[in-house]
Amino acid sequence: YTPDDGENPSGLGLKVDEETGYVHAAISAFGTFDDGGLAVYDLPLTEDREASAVVEASMDMPCTNGNSGCGLANGVAIGGEGVSYVTDSMMGRVFRVENGEMGLVP
């Protein structure tokens, strides 16, 4: 995953969803500790699958000022029914991601 601005974020937390085979990656610009988000990749996990990664979804963490791409995405957890969670270690938040939508966990 490469954002439109050309920066190369780091994948800090990775988790494989064994049901779908998708890899969920917490991504952030490690040098500046911002531009946090979650990317979901479809990777070839067996020999009979195509040998290239496809980004299935990419979501930026919302900022408190209404923009997006804030925080330090760090940890990823996979829940049931296609739900995943990503932590924001910089701002002390946890986000729930479902159906391509990211929302703050109260």
Side-chain angles (χ1 to χ4, degrees):
Y1 165 73
T2 303
D4 293 336
D5 61 11
E7 290 187 27
N8 293 313
S10 300
L12 300 178
L14 298 173
K15 210 55 150 171
V16 175
D17 184 336
E18 293 183 17
E19 289 181 22
T20 64
Y22 291 169
V23 176
H24 296 241
I27 54 171
S28 289
F30 193 62
T32 58
F33 299 108
D34 61 6
D35 204 21
L38 179 74
V40 181
Y41 297 92
D42 184 4
L43 298 178
L45 299 176
T46 61
E47 291 180 19
D48 60 334
R49 298 201 44 203
E50 188 175 322
S52 64
V54 176
V55 176
E56 291 294 325
S58 173
M59 292 132 298
D60 290 331
M61 289 180 166
C63 306
T64 56
N65 64 5
N67 293 329
S68 65
C70 292
L72 175 64
N74 193 8
V76 178
I78 305 293
E81 309 278 325
V83 176
S84 58
Y85 298 88
V86 60
T87 61
D88 175 357
S89 295
M90 183 65 91
M91 300 180 76
R93 307 179 293 178
V94 176
F95 291 92
R96 175 186 169 105
V97 180
E98 184 174 16
N99 297 323
E101 298 291 323
M102 181 178 284
L104 189 61
V105 174

